[in-house]
Amino acid sequence: MLNDSLFNQVIRNVQPAAPCYPGPDQDTQACEYIDSQWTSEAFQASTPIGLSYPTESCPVLNLTAGQQPTQTCTLGDQPVYTVNATSDVRVVVGAIAWAKFHNLRIVIRDTGHDLLRRSTGYGSLQIWIRYLRTKWRGSAFVINGGYTWSDVLEEAARRGVIVVGGGTPSVGCLGGWMQGGGHGPAAHDFGLGADQVLEATVVLADLSVVTASPCRNSDLFFAIRGGGGGTYGIVVSTVVKAHPTSTVVAQQLSFAPLNSTYMPDFMKAVQLIHNAYPYLLDKGFSGYGSWSIASPTPLVYNYNYTLGGDIEENFTTGFTHTVAIFHQTSDRAQSIFAPVLRQLAPFNGRSLFVNVTYSSFPTYAAYYTALSGIESPVGSSAAIGSRLLDRNALTCPRLNETLQILAGTPDQFTSVNLVLVGGGQVARDGADPFSGVNPAWRRSYVHNIVARGWAPGADEATRNAVYSDITNVKVRAMKDLAPNTGAYMNEGDRFDPDYLADFYGRHAAKLSAIKRKYDPDSVFYCPTCIGSDQWQEDSTGRLCRVR
């Protein structure tokens, strides 16, 4: 009956790794293929309930290596049924109507690239817009349904324009990325993803399909442009800005201690580069970086340095960033960065290996393809938290203490990732009256992410200890360092007790009023989203109102 009423677009969900387990779906050959594809973002996004960061309810097995099941494969917190909304918005409308009639929880999913598990919910009906696609057109791009940034950026390159998209090409264009803010390599120069939206088409809880723009439903327009996805309605189409392309000069900087006795100098250098970021971003640089005192994989690769002989080594303790500047010559870029390199020079060859390279690109597309649009491996679970860091946080004496806490101990294998896109147009767009983006973005330079994982099959106590360390130690330290900012909701701590203030800032009350206006019966729900504080989820995934 459900399938008939929704144009035969209903899928009964099965875990992607189900062929690895005893049961009706068991298939050894299929399991081997799934294992080979498990870390692929494209593979996870192509399945109805594949997740970039899956739970432990049905992990993939390497049967070739003799790995055997130690648990049963269950849906866990995943939806039971998926409505595959392909080329017809009527399917989306029908799915909402069915869920409302039967009092079912709705989950909205695009590519499943979500760190906060907002695309999960056992017992719910999932609406999947991954394949809801039609063509885009014009100098401003009309993007429908489930296109990813790899689709759009390829089209933008052919037209010689820049569209602000994600640093990961397989991220969906219309979902949580855009509606939560959306950072990418071009954001510093042209603004966050949410601020690119000129108009959107939204399916509401009352089954109407409306236009959101500065002139029509302007409060809804405000909400979906940075106020969080999955809670006001289902965005099925957007019109976004296109900008003229630009020449780009990129710098790749990496440094690592020559041996463990030089860890104090390594941490001094990490602090030094953090101190420099407000200056560098104000001068036009932006990009991404990471550092760790004990990375699970090398951070600095196969460089030769001389210290009593030529030695080739991969460093698992190290720092690396790739930053770029638009509309500048290589000489000008090097001149801007020179004061920072002079501060690093005393360490080079004495206690640290330091490597710097510059590259020039004729277009943004050439830069993105070569150095930015990289798919990182997925398919493993982790605990993450983040904080937006302003000038004071990056330059105050307390920064050193915070960096030491974030580094953790070698046995924690903590990674710290730096999103260096603040300032510039991100700051200037704070004057936009239709932007629902967390105001903390407008005064911050660095979106600082800390992450820890655990071994496959780790028990619940181990996982909970990692989550606690992220929330109560590492994120707490960042909050103490930057008490007046907030966090980027799409890469924040899903257990943040202050998520309303941290993810939404002063916009929280206004967004809550918009939620009540357009979805008074709370048809749409997702954890940490606006309105979620009115609900409590039990162990079966059922939602009950908070009394």
Side-chain angles (χ1 to χ4, degrees):
M1 183 176 174
L2 171 61
N3 197 35
D4 291 341
S5 65
L6 294 175
F7 306 93
N8 297 312
Q9 293 298 111
V10 178
I11 301 167
R12 184 177 178 87
N13 293 327
V14 177
Q15 285 280 19
C20 301
Y21 291 80
D25 299 303
Q26 188 170 26
D27 184 326
T28 300
Q29 188 173 4
C31 177
E32 291 174 354
Y33 172 77
I34 292 164
D35 182 45
S36 72
Q37 299 296 309
W38 193 253
T39 60
S40 164
E41 182 86 48
F43 169 77
Q44 296 289 352
S46 69
T47 65
I49 57 171
L51 295 171
S52 298
Y53 310 98
T55 61
E56 302 293 324
S57 56
C58 189
V60 71
L61 301 176
N62 187 341
L63 299 181
T64 304
Q67 189 177 8
Q68 295 298 315
T70 58
Q71 64 180 73
T72 57
C73 174
T74 69
L75 281 177
D77 60 356
Q78 295 278 38
V80 178
Y81 289 98
T82 290
V83 178
N84 184 16
T86 52
S87 60
D88 198 327
V89 174
R90 290 179 299 167
V91 177
V92 177
V93 174
I96 297 172
W98 177 277
K100 288 179 65 176
F101 182 79
H102 293 279
N103 195 29
L104 292 176
R105 175 179 171 182
I106 292 174
V107 165
I108 305 166
R109 172 191 165 96
D110 188 351
T111 62
H113 186 96
D114 182 58
L115 295 163
L116 278 70
R117 298 186 192 169
R118 294 169 296 188
S119 298
T120 60
Y122 184 77
S124 63
L125 181 66
Q126 176 173 268
I127 301 174
W128 190 22
I129 66 168
R130 176 74 175 89
Y131 298 106
L132 180 62
R133 299 184 172 198
T134 56
K135 295 294 183 182
W136 49 77
R137 62 185 183 274
S139 56
F141 276 63
V142 180
I143 308 172
N144 294 272
Y147 283 109
T148 64
W149 286 117
S150 61
D151 302 317
V152 176
L153 295 176
E154 180 181 345
E155 194 74 15
R158 281 199 287 267
R159 287 164 164 74
V161 296
I162 297 172
V163 175
V164 176
T168 302
S170 58
V171 170
C173 303
L174 303 191
W177 180 87
M178 178 275 288
Q179 294 174 63
H183 63 75
H188 173 82
D189 288 80
F190 301 107
L192 293 169
D195 295 326
Q196 306 305 305
V197 179
L198 300 170
E199 183 179 286
T201 302
V202 188
V203 183
L204 299 178
D206 66 4
L207 311 185
S208 62
V209 181
V210 302
T211 297
S213 72
C215 302
R216 302 171 66 184
N217 302 301
S218 60
D219 52 355
L220 179 63
F221 186 60
F222 171 90
I224 64 170
R225 295 174 80 236
T231 191
Y232 312 103
I234 301 178
V235 177
V236 294
S237 177
T238 57
V239 181
V240 301
K241 301 173 185 176
H243 310 273
T245 195
S246 168
T247 58
V248 180
V249 176
Q251 184 224 56
Q252 293 174 281
L253 167 69
S254 58
F255 55 82
L258 299 181
N259 60 54
S260 60
T261 63
Y262 296 117
M263 283 300 298
D265 278 1
F266 172 72
M267 293 303 297
K268 287 179 184 177
V270 172
Q271 180 177 0
L272 184 156
I273 196 70
H274 279 72
N275 294 160
Y277 278 135
Y279 157 76
L280 291 171
L281 271 67
D282 282 344
K283 290 295 185 179
F285 276 104
S286 64
Y288 292 83
S290 63
W291 65 276
S292 176
I293 66 166
S295 172
T297 57
L299 281 173
V300 181
Y301 293 92
N302 291 322
Y303 290 113
N304 291 320
Y305 60 83
T306 300
L307 187 68
D310 290 336
I311 304 172
E312 184 174 274
E313 185 168 351
N314 293 333
F315 297 93
T316 55
T317 299
F319 171 97
T320 182
H321 80 199
T322 298
V323 293
I325 189 167
F326 292 19
H327 297 297
Q328 297 290 348
T329 65
S330 181
D331 287 346
R332 176 58 180 157
Q334 293 182 52
S335 174
I336 291 170
F337 213 95
V340 182
L341 292 182
R342 283 196 291 270
Q343 294 181 70
L344 287 174
F347 300 109
N348 192 16
R350 180 182 65 82
S351 57
L352 303 181
F353 163 74
V354 181
N355 187 71
V356 185
T357 60
Y358 288 87
S359 306
S360 297
F361 300 92
T363 64
Y364 172 75
Y367 159 65
Y368 185 90
T369 301
L371 294 180
S372 187
I374 300 169
E375 295 286 357
S376 299
V378 298
S380 58
S381 299
I384 75 159
S386 67
R387 195 73 179 173
L388 292 163
L389 303 182
D390 57 10
R391 182 185 299 274
N392 183 66
L394 291 165
T395 57
C396 75
R398 187 172 186 167
L399 175 65
N400 178 61
E401 176 187 347
T402 304
L403 294 175
Q404 296 287 347
I405 293 171
L406 295 181
T409 56
D411 62 306
Q412 292 182 337
F413 299 104
T414 305
S415 295
V416 182
N417 297 300
L418 309 171
V419 178
L420 310 167
V421 301
Q425 193 62 39
V426 173
R428 291 190 289 271
D429 280 338
D432 183 349
F434 300 108
S435 177
V437 167
N438 186 345
W441 268 108
R442 310 308 186 184
R443 56 184 182 273
S444 299
Y445 287 92
V446 176
H447 161 39
N448 200 67
I449 309 167
V450 60
R452 287 185 58 194
W454 46 79
D459 59 28
E460 185 176 4
T462 299
R463 299 195 301 270
N464 287 342
V466 174
Y467 280 122
S468 178
D469 176 60
I470 291 293
T471 300
N472 301 315
V473 179
K474 293 177 168 55
V475 171
R476 180 71 264 168
M478 290 192 287
K479 288 185 178 185
D480 291 341
L481 177 70
N484 299 316
T485 61
Y488 176 44
M489 68 181 74
N490 287 342
E491 292 163 339
D493 177 6
R494 63 188 293 260
F495 296 112
D496 186 345
D498 308 312
Y499 73 87
L500 279 174
D502 287 337
F503 293 178
Y504 305 95
R506 68 172 183 269
H507 290 334
K510 180 177 180 179
L511 291 168
S512 294
I514 296 169
K515 166 71 171 177
R516 291 191 296 271
K517 175 181 175 181
Y518 287 96
D519 185 19
D521 298 322
S522 293
V523 172
F524 302 116
Y525 164 89
C526 49
T528 72
C529 297
I530 289 292
S532 63
D533 57 322
Q534 303 300 308
W535 297 89
Q536 186 171 26
E537 186 174 346
D538 68 15
S539 59
T540 68
R542 184 176 60 179
L543 297 175
C544 301
R545 280 199 179 272
V546 174
R547 297 185 183 278

